[in-house]
Amino acid sequence: MMKRTFWVAVGVAIGVVAVAKAQAYVKANTPDKARQFLLGPDQDNVMQRTLAGLIEEFNTARKAREAELNRQYSGIAE
């Protein structure tokens, strides 16, 4: 179990470093207009915006599924 945890952690770390390096490369080697098209006008907070969007989408889907299950099994509509 510890070996798997270790290798998963190594994989996550490598992924984070690869994404950071790729973003740095894009920022350094693309014109400003292309960067704004790819990363948006707020180029410093791309990861935070992406994570916030993923969490928001997850919560929306979770709430919809929860309401569906409530209607199906308890007859209570929220």
Coordinates of all heavy atoms in Angstrom, one line a residue:
M1 N 0.8 -1.2 0.0 CA 0.0 0.0 0.0 C 0.9 1.3 0.0 O 0.5 2.2 -0.7 CB -0.9 0.0 1.2 CG -1.8 1.1 1.3 SD -3.1 1.1 0.0 CE -4.0 2.5 0.5
M2 N 1.9 1.2 0.8 CA 2.8 2.4 0.8 C 3.5 2.7 -0.5 O 3.7 3.8 -0.9 CB 3.8 2.3 1.9 CG 3.2 2.4 3.3 SD 2.5 4.0 3.6 CE 3.9 5.1 3.6
K3 N 3.9 1.6 -1.2 CA 4.5 1.7 -2.5 C 3.6 2.4 -3.5 O 4.0 3.3 -4.2 CB 4.9 0.4 -3.1 CG 6.1 -0.2 -2.4 CD 6.5 -1.5 -3.1 CE 7.6 -2.2 -2.4 NZ 8.0 -3.5 -3.1
R4 N 2.3 2.0 -3.5 CA 1.3 2.6 -4.4 C 1.1 4.1 -4.1 O 1.1 4.9 -5.0 CB 0.0 1.9 -4.3 CG 0.0 0.5 -5.0 CD -1.3 -0.1 -4.9 NE -1.2 -1.5 -5.4 CZ -2.2 -2.4 -5.4 NH1 -3.3 -2.0 -4.8 NH2 -2.0 -3.6 -5.8
T5 N 1.0 4.4 -2.8 CA 0.8 5.8 -2.4 C 2.0 6.6 -2.8 O 1.9 7.7 -3.3 CB 0.6 5.8 -0.8 OG1 -0.5 5.0 -0.5 CG2 0.4 7.2 -0.4
F6 N 3.2 6.1 -2.6 CA 4.4 6.8 -3.0 C 4.4 7.0 -4.5 O 4.7 8.2 -4.9 CB 5.7 5.9 -2.6 CG 6.9 6.5 -3.2 CD1 7.5 7.6 -2.6 CD2 7.5 5.9 -4.3 CE1 8.7 8.1 -3.1 CE2 8.7 6.4 -4.8 CZ 9.3 7.5 -4.3
W7 N 4.1 6.0 -5.3 CA 4.2 6.2 -6.8 C 3.1 7.1 -7.3 O 3.2 7.9 -8.2 CB 4.2 4.9 -7.5 CG 5.5 4.2 -7.3 CD1 5.7 3.0 -6.6 CD2 6.8 4.6 -7.8 NE1 7.1 2.7 -6.7 CE2 7.7 3.7 -7.4 CE3 7.2 5.7 -8.6 CZ2 9.1 3.8 -7.7 CZ3 8.5 5.8 -8.9 CH2 9.5 4.9 -8.4
V8 N 1.9 7.1 -6.6 CA 0.8 8.0 -7.0 C 1.3 9.4 -6.7 O 1.1 10.4 -7.5 CB -0.5 7.7 -6.3 CG1 -1.5 8.8 -6.4 CG2 -1.1 6.4 -6.9
A9 N 1.9 9.6 -5.5 CA 2.4 11.0 -5.1 C 3.5 11.4 -6.1 O 3.5 12.6 -6.5 CB 2.9 10.9 -3.7
V10 N 4.4 10.5 -6.5 CA 5.4 10.9 -7.5 C 4.8 11.3 -8.8 O 5.1 12.3 -9.4 CB 6.4 9.7 -7.7 CG1 7.3 10.0 -8.9 CG2 7.2 9.6 -6.4
G11 N 3.7 10.6 -9.2 CA 3.1 10.9 -10.5 C 2.4 12.2 -10.4 O 2.4 13.0 -11.4
V12 N 1.7 12.5 -9.3 CA 1.1 13.8 -9.2 C 2.1 14.9 -9.2 O 1.9 16.0 -9.8 CB 0.2 13.8 -7.9 CG1 -0.2 15.2 -7.5 CG2 -1.0 12.9 -8.0
A13 N 3.2 14.7 -8.5 CA 4.2 15.8 -8.5 C 4.8 16.0 -9.8 O 5.0 17.2 -10.3 CB 5.3 15.4 -7.5
I14 N 5.0 15.0 -10.6 CA 5.6 15.1 -12.0 C 4.5 15.8 -12.8 O 4.9 16.7 -13.6 CB 5.9 13.7 -12.6 CG1 7.2 13.2 -11.9 CG2 6.2 13.8 -14.1 CD1 7.5 11.8 -12.2
G15 N 3.3 15.5 -12.7 CA 2.2 16.2 -13.4 C 2.2 17.7 -13.1 O 2.0 18.5 -14.0
V16 N 2.3 18.0 -11.8 CA 2.2 19.4 -11.4 C 3.4 20.2 -12.0 O 3.3 21.3 -12.6 CB 2.2 19.6 -9.9 CG1 2.5 21.0 -9.5 CG2 0.9 19.1 -9.4
V17 N 4.6 19.6 -12.0 CA 5.8 20.2 -12.5 C 5.7 20.4 -14.0 O 6.0 21.4 -14.6 CB 7.1 19.4 -12.1 CG1 8.3 19.9 -12.9 CG2 7.3 19.5 -10.6
A18 N 5.2 19.4 -14.7 CA 5.0 19.4 -16.2 C 4.0 20.5 -16.6 O 4.3 21.3 -17.5 CB 4.5 18.1 -16.7
V19 N 2.9 20.7 -15.9 CA 2.0 21.7 -16.2 C 2.6 23.1 -15.9 O 2.4 24.0 -16.7 CB 0.7 21.5 -15.4 CG1 -0.2 22.7 -15.4 CG2 -0.1 20.3 -15.9
A20 N 3.3 23.2 -14.8 CA 3.9 24.5 -14.5 C 5.0 24.9 -15.6 O 5.0 26.0 -16.0 CB 4.6 24.5 -13.1
K21 N 5.8 23.9 -16.0 CA 6.8 24.2 -17.0 C 6.1 24.5 -18.4 O 6.5 25.4 -19.1 CB 7.7 23.0 -17.2 CG 8.6 22.7 -16.0 CD 9.7 23.7 -15.9 CE 10.6 23.3 -14.8 NZ 11.7 24.2 -14.7
A22 N 5.0 23.8 -18.7 CA 4.3 24.1 -19.9 C 3.7 25.5 -19.9 O 3.8 26.2 -20.9 CB 3.2 23.1 -20.2
Q23 N 3.1 25.9 -18.8 CA 2.6 27.3 -18.7 C 3.7 28.3 -18.8 O 3.5 29.4 -19.5 CB 1.8 27.4 -17.4 CG 0.4 26.8 -17.5 CD -0.3 27.0 -16.2 OE1 0.2 27.4 -15.2 NE2 -1.6 26.7 -16.2
A24 N 4.8 28.1 -18.2 CA 5.9 29.0 -18.3 C 6.4 29.1 -19.7 O 6.7 30.2 -20.2 CB 7.0 28.6 -17.3
Y25 N 6.5 28.0 -20.4 CA 6.9 28.0 -21.8 C 5.9 28.8 -22.7 O 6.4 29.6 -23.5 CB 7.0 26.6 -22.3 CG 7.5 26.5 -23.7 CD1 8.8 26.6 -24.1 CD2 6.5 26.3 -24.8 CE1 9.2 26.6 -25.4 CE2 6.9 26.3 -26.1 CZ 8.3 26.4 -26.4 OH 8.7 26.4 -27.7
V26 N 4.7 28.6 -22.4 CA 3.7 29.3 -23.2 C 3.7 30.8 -22.9 O 3.7 31.6 -23.9 CB 2.2 28.8 -22.9 CG1 1.2 29.7 -23.5 CG2 2.1 27.4 -23.5
K27 N 3.9 31.2 -21.7 CA 4.0 32.6 -21.3 C 5.3 33.2 -21.9 O 5.2 34.4 -22.3 CB 4.0 32.8 -19.8 CG 2.7 32.6 -19.2 CD 2.8 32.9 -17.7 CE 1.4 32.7 -17.0 NZ 1.5 32.9 -15.6
A28 N 6.3 32.5 -22.0 CA 7.6 33.1 -22.5 C 7.7 33.1 -24.0 O 8.4 34.0 -24.5 CB 8.8 32.3 -21.9
N29 N 7.0 32.2 -24.7 CA 7.3 32.1 -26.1 C 6.1 32.3 -27.0 O 6.1 32.0 -28.2 CB 7.8 30.7 -26.4 CG 9.2 30.4 -25.8 OD1 10.0 31.3 -25.8 ND2 9.3 29.3 -25.2
T30 N 5.1 33.0 -26.5 CA 3.9 33.3 -27.4 C 3.7 34.8 -27.3 O 3.9 35.4 -26.3 CB 2.7 32.6 -27.0 OG1 2.4 32.8 -25.6 CG2 2.8 31.1 -27.2
P31 N 3.2 35.4 -28.4 CA 2.8 36.8 -28.4 C 1.7 37.1 -27.4 O 0.9 36.2 -27.1 CB 2.4 37.1 -29.8 CG 2.8 35.9 -30.6 CD 3.0 34.8 -29.7
D32 N 1.6 38.3 -27.0 CA 0.6 38.6 -26.0 C -0.8 38.3 -26.4 O -1.6 37.8 -25.6 CB 0.7 40.1 -25.6 CG -0.2 40.5 -24.5 OD1 -0.1 39.8 -23.4 OD2 -0.9 41.5 -24.6
K33 N -1.2 38.6 -27.7 CA -2.6 38.3 -28.1 C -2.9 36.8 -28.1 O -3.9 36.4 -27.7 CB -2.7 38.9 -29.6 CG -2.7 40.3 -29.7 CD -4.0 40.9 -29.3 CE -4.0 42.4 -29.6 NZ -5.1 43.1 -29.1
A34 N -1.9 36.0 -28.5 CA -2.1 34.6 -28.5 C -2.2 34.1 -27.0 O -3.1 33.2 -26.7 CB -1.0 33.9 -29.2
R35 N -1.4 34.6 -26.1 CA -1.5 34.2 -24.7 C -2.9 34.6 -24.1 O -3.5 33.8 -23.4 CB -0.4 35.0 -23.9 CG 0.7 34.1 -23.5 CD 1.6 34.7 -22.5 NE 1.7 36.1 -22.4 CZ 2.6 36.9 -23.0 NH1 3.5 36.3 -23.8 NH2 2.6 38.2 -22.9
Q36 N -3.4 35.8 -24.5 CA -4.7 36.2 -23.9 C -5.8 35.3 -24.5 O -6.7 35.0 -23.8 CB -4.9 37.7 -24.3 CG -4.1 38.6 -23.4 CD -4.5 40.0 -23.7 OE1 -5.4 40.4 -24.4 NE2 -3.8 40.9 -23.0
F37 N -5.6 34.9 -25.7 CA -6.6 33.9 -26.3 C -6.6 32.6 -25.6 O -7.6 32.0 -25.3 CB -6.4 33.8 -27.8 CG -7.3 32.8 -28.5 CD1 -8.6 33.2 -28.7 CD2 -6.9 31.5 -28.8 CE1 -9.5 32.3 -29.3 CE2 -7.7 30.6 -29.4 CZ -9.0 31.0 -29.7
L38 N -5.4 32.1 -25.3 CA -5.3 30.8 -24.7 C -5.6 30.8 -23.2 O -6.3 29.9 -22.7 CB -3.8 30.2 -24.9 CG -3.5 29.8 -26.3 CD1 -2.0 29.4 -26.3 CD2 -4.3 28.6 -26.7
L39 N -5.0 31.7 -22.5 CA -5.1 31.8 -21.0 C -6.1 32.8 -20.5 O -6.4 32.7 -19.3 CB -3.7 32.1 -20.4 CG -2.6 31.1 -20.9 CD1 -1.3 31.6 -20.3 CD2 -2.9 29.7 -20.4
G40 N -6.6 33.6 -21.3 CA -7.6 34.6 -20.8 C -6.8 35.9 -20.4 O -5.6 35.9 -20.3
P41 N -7.6 36.9 -20.1 CA -6.9 38.2 -19.7 C -6.2 38.1 -18.4 O -5.3 38.8 -18.1 CB -8.1 39.2 -19.7 CG -9.3 38.4 -19.5 CD -9.0 37.0 -20.2
D42 N -6.7 37.3 -17.4 CA -6.1 37.2 -16.1 C -5.1 36.0 -16.2 O -5.5 34.9 -15.7 CB -7.2 37.0 -15.1 CG -6.6 37.0 -13.7 OD1 -5.5 37.4 -13.5 OD2 -7.3 36.5 -12.8
Q43 N -4.0 36.2 -16.7 CA -3.0 35.1 -16.9 C -2.3 34.5 -15.7 O -1.8 33.5 -15.7 CB -2.0 35.5 -18.0 CG -2.6 35.9 -19.3 CD -1.6 36.4 -20.2 OE1 -0.4 36.3 -20.0 NE2 -2.0 37.0 -21.3
D44 N -2.4 35.3 -14.6 CA -1.7 34.8 -13.4 C -2.5 33.9 -12.6 O -2.0 33.2 -11.7 CB -1.3 36.0 -12.5 CG -0.3 36.9 -13.2 OD1 0.5 36.4 -14.0 OD2 -0.3 38.1 -13.0
N45 N -3.8 33.8 -12.8 CA -4.7 33.0 -12.0 C -5.4 31.9 -12.8 O -6.5 31.5 -12.5 CB -5.7 33.8 -11.2 CG -5.1 34.8 -10.3 OD1 -4.1 34.5 -9.6 ND2 -5.5 36.1 -10.3
V46 N -4.8 31.3 -13.8 CA -5.4 30.3 -14.6 C -5.7 29.1 -13.8 O -6.8 28.5 -13.9 CB -4.5 30.0 -15.8 CG1 -5.1 28.9 -16.6 CG2 -4.3 31.2 -16.7
M47 N -4.8 28.6 -13.0 CA -5.0 27.4 -12.3 C -6.1 27.6 -11.2 O -7.0 26.7 -11.1 CB -3.7 26.9 -11.6 CG -2.8 26.3 -12.5 SD -1.4 25.3 -11.9 CE -1.1 25.8 -10.2
Q48 N -6.2 28.7 -10.6 CA -7.2 29.0 -9.6 C -8.6 29.0 -10.3 O -9.6 28.5 -9.7 CB -7.0 30.3 -8.8 CG -5.8 30.2 -7.9 CD -4.5 30.5 -8.5 OE1 -4.4 30.7 -9.8 NE2 -3.4 30.7 -7.8
R49 N -8.7 29.7 -11.4 CA -10.0 29.8 -12.1 C -10.4 28.4 -12.6 O -11.6 28.1 -12.6 CB -9.9 30.7 -13.3 CG -9.8 32.2 -12.9 CD -9.9 33.1 -14.1 NE -8.7 33.0 -14.8 CZ -8.6 32.9 -16.2 NH1 -9.7 32.8 -16.9 NH2 -7.4 32.8 -16.8
T50 N -9.5 27.6 -13.1 CA -9.8 26.3 -13.6 C -10.3 25.4 -12.4 O -11.3 24.7 -12.6 CB -8.6 25.6 -14.2 OG1 -8.1 26.4 -15.3 CG2 -8.9 24.2 -14.8
L51 N -9.6 25.4 -11.3 CA -10.0 24.6 -10.2 C -11.4 25.1 -9.6 O -12.2 24.3 -9.3 CB -9.0 24.7 -9.1 CG -9.2 23.9 -7.8 CD1 -9.3 22.4 -8.2 CD2 -8.1 24.1 -6.8
A52 N -11.6 26.4 -9.6 CA -12.9 26.9 -9.1 C -14.0 26.5 -10.1 O -15.1 26.1 -9.6 CB -12.8 28.4 -9.0
G53 N -13.7 26.5 -11.4 CA -14.7 26.1 -12.3 C -15.1 24.6 -12.2 O -16.2 24.2 -12.3
L54 N -14.0 23.8 -12.0 CA -14.3 22.3 -11.8 C -15.1 22.1 -10.5 O -16.0 21.2 -10.5 CB -12.9 21.6 -11.7 CG -12.1 21.5 -13.0 CD1 -10.8 20.9 -12.8 CD2 -12.9 20.6 -14.0
I55 N -14.8 22.7 -9.4 CA -15.5 22.6 -8.2 C -16.9 23.0 -8.4 O -17.9 22.3 -7.9 CB -14.8 23.3 -7.0 CG1 -13.5 22.6 -6.7 CG2 -15.7 23.4 -5.8 CD1 -12.6 23.4 -5.7
E56 N -17.2 24.1 -9.0 CA -18.5 24.6 -9.3 C -19.3 23.6 -10.1 O -20.5 23.4 -9.8 CB -18.5 26.0 -9.9 CG -19.8 26.6 -10.2 CD -19.7 28.0 -10.8 OE1 -18.7 28.6 -10.7 OE2 -20.7 28.4 -11.5
E57 N -18.7 23.1 -11.2 CA -19.4 22.2 -12.0 C -19.7 20.9 -11.3 O -20.8 20.3 -11.4 CB -18.5 21.8 -13.2 CG -19.2 21.0 -14.3 CD -18.3 20.7 -15.5 OE1 -17.4 21.6 -15.8 OE2 -18.5 19.7 -16.1
F58 N -18.8 20.4 -10.5 CA -19.0 19.2 -9.7 C -20.2 19.4 -8.7 O -21.1 18.6 -8.6 CB -17.8 18.8 -8.9 CG -18.0 17.7 -7.9 CD1 -18.1 16.4 -8.3 CD2 -18.1 18.0 -6.5 CE1 -18.3 15.4 -7.4 CE2 -18.4 17.0 -5.6 CZ -18.4 15.7 -6.1
N59 N -20.2 20.6 -8.0 CA -21.3 20.8 -7.1 C -22.6 21.0 -7.7 O -23.6 20.5 -7.2 CB -21.0 22.1 -6.2 CG -20.0 21.8 -5.2 OD1 -19.8 20.7 -4.7 ND2 -19.2 22.8 -4.8
T60 N -22.7 21.6 -8.9 CA -23.9 21.7 -9.7 C -24.4 20.3 -10.0 O -25.6 20.0 -9.8 CB -23.7 22.5 -10.9 OG1 -23.2 23.8 -10.6 CG2 -25.0 22.7 -11.7
A61 N -23.6 19.4 -10.5 CA -24.0 18.1 -10.9 C -24.4 17.3 -9.7 O -25.4 16.5 -9.7 CB -22.8 17.4 -11.6
R62 N -23.7 17.5 -8.6 CA -24.0 16.7 -7.3 C -25.4 17.1 -6.8 O -26.2 16.3 -6.4 CB -22.9 17.0 -6.3 CG -23.2 16.3 -5.0 CD -22.1 16.7 -3.9 NE -22.1 18.2 -3.7 CZ -22.9 18.9 -2.9 NH1 -23.9 18.3 -2.3 NH2 -22.7 20.2 -2.8
K63 N -25.7 18.4 -6.8 CA -26.9 18.9 -6.3 C -28.1 18.4 -7.2 O -29.2 18.1 -6.7 CB -26.9 20.4 -6.2 CG -26.1 20.9 -5.1 CD -26.0 22.4 -5.0 CE -25.1 22.9 -3.9 NZ -25.0 24.4 -3.9
A64 N -27.9 18.4 -8.5 CA -28.9 17.9 -9.4 C -29.2 16.5 -9.2 O -30.3 16.0 -9.2 CB -28.5 18.2 -10.9
R65 N -28.1 15.7 -9.0 CA -28.3 14.2 -8.8 C -29.0 14.0 -7.4 O -29.8 13.1 -7.3 CB -26.9 13.5 -8.9 CG -27.0 12.1 -8.6 CD -27.7 11.3 -9.7 NE -27.6 9.9 -9.5 CZ -28.5 9.0 -9.8 NH1 -29.6 9.4 -10.5 NH2 -28.4 7.8 -9.5
E66 N -28.6 14.8 -6.4 CA -29.2 14.6 -5.1 C -30.7 14.9 -5.2 O -31.5 14.2 -4.6 CB -28.5 15.6 -4.1 CG -29.0 15.4 -2.7 CD -28.2 16.4 -1.8 OE1 -27.0 16.7 -2.1 OE2 -28.8 16.7 -0.8
A67 N -31.1 16.0 -5.9 CA -32.5 16.3 -6.0 C -33.2 15.2 -6.8 O -34.4 14.9 -6.4 CB -32.6 17.7 -6.7
E68 N -32.6 14.7 -7.8 CA -33.2 13.6 -8.6 C -33.5 12.4 -7.7 O -34.5 11.8 -7.7 CB -32.3 13.2 -9.7 CG -32.8 12.1 -10.6 CD -31.9 11.7 -11.6 OE1 -31.0 12.5 -12.0 OE2 -32.0 10.5 -12.1
L69 N -32.5 12.0 -6.9 CA -32.6 10.9 -6.0 C -33.7 11.2 -4.9 O -34.4 10.3 -4.5 CB -31.3 10.5 -5.3 CG -30.2 9.9 -6.3 CD1 -28.9 9.8 -5.6 CD2 -30.7 8.6 -6.8
N70 N -33.7 12.4 -4.4 CA -34.7 12.7 -3.4 C -36.1 12.6 -4.0 O -37.0 12.1 -3.3 CB -34.5 14.2 -2.9 CG -33.4 14.2 -1.8 OD1 -33.1 13.2 -1.2 ND2 -32.8 15.4 -1.7
R71 N -36.3 13.1 -5.2 CA -37.6 12.9 -5.8 C -38.0 11.5 -6.1 O -39.1 11.1 -5.9 CB -37.6 13.7 -7.2 CG -37.8 15.2 -7.1 CD -38.1 15.8 -8.5 NE -37.1 15.4 -9.5 CZ -36.0 16.0 -9.7 NH1 -35.6 17.0 -9.0 NH2 -35.1 15.6 -10.7
Q72 N -37.0 10.7 -6.5 CA -37.2 9.3 -6.8 C -37.5 8.5 -5.6 O -38.5 7.6 -5.6 CB -36.0 8.7 -7.5 CG -36.2 7.3 -8.0 CD -34.9 6.8 -8.7 OE1 -34.0 7.5 -8.9 NE2 -34.9 5.5 -9.1
Y73 N -36.8 8.7 -4.5 CA -37.0 7.8 -3.4 C -37.8 8.3 -2.2 O -38.3 7.5 -1.4 CB -35.6 7.3 -2.8 CG -34.9 6.4 -3.8 CD1 -33.8 6.9 -4.5 CD2 -35.4 5.2 -4.1 CE1 -33.1 6.1 -5.4 CE2 -34.7 4.3 -5.0 CZ -33.6 4.8 -5.6 OH -33.0 4.0 -6.5
S74 N -37.9 9.6 -2.1 CA -38.7 10.1 -0.9 C -39.9 10.9 -1.3 O -40.8 11.2 -0.5 CB -37.8 11.0 0.0 OG -37.4 12.1 -0.7
G75 N -40.0 11.3 -2.6 CA -41.1 12.1 -3.0 C -41.1 13.5 -2.5 O -42.0 14.3 -2.7
I76 N -39.9 13.9 -2.0 CA -39.8 15.3 -1.5 C -39.1 16.1 -2.6 O -38.0 15.7 -3.1 CB -38.9 15.4 -0.2 CG1 -39.6 14.6 0.9 CG2 -38.7 16.8 0.2 CD1 -38.8 14.5 2.1
A77 N -39.7 17.2 -3.0 CA -39.0 18.0 -4.0 C -38.5 19.3 -3.3 O -39.1 19.9 -2.5 CB -40.1 18.5 -5.1
E78 N -37.2 19.5 -3.6 CA -36.5 20.7 -3.0 C -36.4 21.8 -3.9 O -36.1 21.7 -5.1 CB -35.2 20.3 -2.4 CG -35.4 19.3 -1.2 CD -34.0 19.1 -0.5 OE1 -33.1 19.8 -0.7 OE2 -33.9 18.0 0.1

